[in-house]
Amino acid sequence: ETTLGAAAAQSGRYFGTAVAVNRLNDSAYTNILNREFNQVTAENEMKIDALQPQQGQFNWGNGDRLVQHARSRNMQVRGHTLAWHSQQPDWMRNMSGQQLRNAMLNHVTQVATHYRGQIAWWDVVNEAFEDGSSGARRNSNLERTGSDWIEAAFRAARTADPNAQLCYNDYNIDNWNDAKTQAVYRMVRDFKQRGVPIDCVGLQSHFTGGSNYPSNYRTTLSSFAALGVDVHITELDIRNAPSDAYRNTVNDCLAVPRCKGITVWGIRDSDSWRSNESPLLFDGGGNKKAAYNAVLNAL
Ligand code: XIL
């Protein structure tokens, strides 16, 4: 196969990218998107501040535009993200308690209902755990509404769009030995045991190079999968785009049947939120980098 999407499809997987909707007007960008990828995630346009900038006023334009673009080209859409401590609109950041809980659940319901039937996977909750050795939940306005906010969000999403796969998504849950990884694992296990509707775990996988691509990544993927959830590599980028780390990441996903696909967090280095680290598969001119060939050959 000669494209990432077609190569991934040989094993029933997808290969996707984050898309900045305003760049769809850039034909060099959109040509690569349409040629190479069969899955998209909105880089910012389906976040809470983008979709509900004022309480009760929803802005569907950019999200709808991406969904349209994707569906007319048979690309699957990952919804990102229904509940998160970051990129909240001011009105939500200033809320607390039951009022915030209700507003969060209403947002989940409204958004999942609007996109019902069009989203393959939702990142229902993003980044709810603390970094470091504590294994604790992240302190946030949402967490302060009561630690059952995560399961409440998942239940609301299931009710609103019963056919979407519902994921928990986070970073620094790649190394199996990290306290944060273990804490997320225990939450997913608990949810499965108690029947909280969760279908998948997303590992963002923002790697900083060979040194932080963990040799036990495959163990992490397979251990989550063994709980009865799918796993997704949702936001892959690697500092300086070393070919070996990209190749290992692909091979680890392919080794785990429940690893359903890989999404890179942008197309060209110049599109990246980490553009100074050149972490992607295409250079600023849209040329394939060495890491691109490593990924294509591994798929
Ligand atoms: C980033 C975007 O790439 C940036 O454009 C934005 O300014 C900040 O957010 N984890 C996530 C993504 O789940 O939503 C973040 O995306 C990167 C880290």
Side-chain angles (χ1 to χ4, degrees), residues 232-255:
H232 299 256
I233 299 173
T234 53
E235 304 183 14
L236 180 63
D237 53 15
I238 313 181
R239 180 182 295 163
N240 300 324
S243 294
D244 56 346
Y246 264 107
R247 182 185 308 110
N248 289 339
T249 302
V250 171
N251 284 332
D252 288 343
C253 181
L254 295 184

Side-chain angles (χ1 to χ4, degrees), residues 88 95 113 177 219 295:
Q88 292 182 2
M95 274 186 178
T113 298
N177 296 324
T219 300
V295 167

Side-chain angles (χ1 to χ4, degrees), residues 37-111:
F37 298 98
N38 53 16
Q39 182 274 333
V40 292
T41 305
E43 185 171 2
N44 288 297
E45 294 81 354
M46 293 191 194
K47 292 174 180 175
I48 311 171
D49 59 352
L51 290 183
Q52 197 180 176
Q54 306 293 330
Q55 189 171 17
Q57 292 181 18
F58 289 85
N59 234 342
W60 306 114
N62 285 329
D64 286 1
R65 192 170 164 213
L66 180 62
V67 169
Q68 265 303 110
H69 186 96
R71 284 169 58 84
S72 62
R73 291 168 180 80
N74 278 319
M75 300 169 173
Q76 290 181 287
V77 183
R78 177 177 205 86
H80 176 78
T81 173
L82 295 172
W84 190 21
H85 70 278
S86 185
Q87 292 183 266
Q88 292 182 2
D90 287 344
W91 65 264
M92 186 180 278
R93 283 198 297 119
N94 294 325
M95 274 186 178
S96 61
Q98 194 61 43
Q99 194 189 29
L100 173 61
R101 174 71 71 104
N102 291 340
M104 179 275 287
L105 292 174
N106 181 58
H107 184 83
V108 171
T109 299
Q110 300 291 326
V111 174

